[in-house]
Amino acid sequence: MRLSKSWIIASKDFKIFSKKNYVIYSLVVVPLIVSFLLPIVIEFAGHRNGASGIPASELTILLPAFTFFYLIIAGFIPTTIASYSLVGEKVEKSLEPLLATPTTDSEILLGKGIAAFLPPIGAILGGATIFMVLMDLVTYGTLGYYYFPNWNAAIVLFLMVPLAAILSVEWNVIISARVSDVRVAQQIGILLVLPFGVIYVAGELDLIPLGSTSNLLIIAGILLVVDLLLLYVAKATFRREEILTKWK
Amino acid sequence: MIETENLTKKLGDLTAVDNLTLHVNDGEVFGFLGPNGAGKTTTVRMLCCLISKTSGKARIGDYDVGIEADSLKIRKFIGLVPDNVGLYDDLSAYDNLDFYGKLYDCTEAQRKENIARFLKMLGLWEKKDVAAGAFSKGMKQKLAIARAIIHEPQILFMDEPTANLDPESSKTVRDFILELKKEKKTIFLNTHNLDEAQRICDRIGILNTRLMAIGTPEELEKSVQGRKTVIQLEQAGDAIIAALRKLPLRNLVIDGNKLTIDVTDPEKENVAIVDTIVGAGGHVQSVAVVGSTLEDAYLKLVRQTK
């Protein structure tokens, strides 16, 4: 596999995304809103009705769960991009000439994957940095130390978020074979956040303590296995003969 | 050179292409005619290594279609203008071509030179920075052709390149194909347009799942029995008609002073007919051979398979 070919395809997609305001808004707005909103909620909810703030014992449950929120974002932002990248090509009927070039299916798939993976990861890590800085500012008084950065946050942001984003991209490759409308692809693609949402709620309720490193590693391990399984299905779906004769 | 031997493609229970055997020479413009669903696009996709063959053999240049290691080499060696232009509407004409130039491993200098050359040849240079989505159908088609030849392939596959184009755009595309022909490119042209095929193709194959006929446009025209000789006489008298009826003519129709006779080989048969008329004291005002066009040949062959 030649990475240069994949990068050419990804670069072309980046150029197209840069011309689509909808994609840019999806990339930037959600991580930014979450990054600013969560610290604001902590600050104001804790001081409601004259209270002195959220107790430290609750903060240590909330903060890792909030970090987990970025996993949910990683599950749906790539959907916006991957649906444009794959279904968009299908709608514009530009896949056939692309497939006629001297590139392999894997190179094209990787290029599409890079295009749908890198911008969301950049946006999420940027947003998470803002989130951690602001959260430290509003919780330092209660905790007496800066909660972020920490190893658990690193596991979520640098291991689980990429794995979730890869899962989202693979999920969208599979969806793309069956739909021919970008919005439908996005709607189906977004279903992927449901399991992450359930884990998030379980974390908030302390049913699955998300502050536990071992729990995070177990979830990361499950994500890795699912990623590998979906990679197999995505590769089987993204074959030129399948695309030209069976993709609707 | 494009060569196929018993090339077959089955899609489930349907045989899309059935034992296709043909040979297209280097530098030849080969027209592939056939109704919708005849297997033209499937053939092109097989030859471009986009889909697999079910059986048979095919070679493009020195490479075998169906051998994985040769597929990339074939795709580098050929260009494809698909039936849907498939451009990136958000990218400019220049960026569309530049992207494909990179995928075909053209150097930056080659890309710059070829983009400028082909956009100028196709009258699109002034619009090089305009998004392809803003182009008319004809302009998009021209851009798709430029895209297919950005790496200067020796063989170009074109799948109905003038379909849905206005006459002026069709002419530009046809003229460009003729320019490529002068450069000795091998062109495999799928088309519904019989007139277009007749004008620009050296040879034509008529496909309806199976290859029904192959030859030059003239050979295909002659292959159809059913040409008619129309003779305008000064006066179609009884003596002339009686003399003609003694000849082994097929289907003599008399309409006033105009005679229409089915002929197989007008160059030979017309001499005897005219001699007979003159011998019977007739005066011939004009002789014309009509019918048996490429269209007749095409329709006859296609109907045979129904």
Side-chain angles (χ1 to χ4, degrees), chain A residues 14-32 77 80-81 84 119 123:
Chain A
F14 293 149
K15 201 172 241 181
I16 290 176
F17 299 154
S18 71
K19 295 172 193 293
K20 289 190 182 292
N21 291 338
Y22 177 79
V23 172
I24 294 170
Y25 295 151
S26 308
L27 264 180
V28 176
V29 172
V30 176
L32 277 185
I77 293 191
T80 312
I81 300 196
Y84 265 117

Side-chain angles (χ1 to χ4, degrees), chain B residues 53-68:
Chain B
K53 57 189 168 65
T54 304
S55 61
K57 292 178 185 171
R59 277 179 78 78
I60 305 285
D62 297 328
Y63 306 113
D64 285 317
V65 172
I67 292 178
E68 190 58 36

Side-chain angles (χ1 to χ4, degrees), chain A residues 6-128:
Chain A
S6 302
W7 186 249
I8 291 167
I9 292 164
S11 302
K12 181 267 298 172
D13 277 359
F14 293 149
K15 201 172 241 181
I16 290 176
F17 299 154
S18 71
K19 295 172 193 293
K20 289 190 182 292
N21 291 338
Y22 177 79
V23 172
I24 294 170
Y25 295 151
S26 308
L27 264 180
V28 176
V29 172
V30 176
L32 277 185
I33 287 177
V34 170
S35 303
F36 283 101
L37 197 65
L38 293 178
I40 290 169
V41 167
I42 292 288
E43 176 67 8
F44 286 94
H47 294 93
R48 203 176 41 182
N49 302 327
S52 58
I54 296 172
S57 58
E58 286 183 26
L59 277 179
T60 51
I61 295 172
L62 282 175
L63 291 181
F66 280 171
T67 314
F68 200 82
F69 211 86
Y70 286 92
L71 202 63
I72 297 175
I73 299 175
F76 80 83
I77 293 191
T79 291
T80 312
I81 300 196
S83 56
Y84 265 117
S85 179
L86 289 160
V87 182
E89 289 240 18
K90 200 159 126 179
V91 171
E92 289 185 339
K93 300 192 186 299
S94 50
L95 274 174
E96 187 169 357
L98 180 60
L99 293 169
T101 61
T103 45
T104 64
D105 298 351
S106 299
E107 286 161 356
I108 295 173
L109 184 59
L110 180 64
K112 292 283 167 196
I114 291 170
F117 174 81
L118 284 185
I121 289 294
I124 288 168
L125 293 182

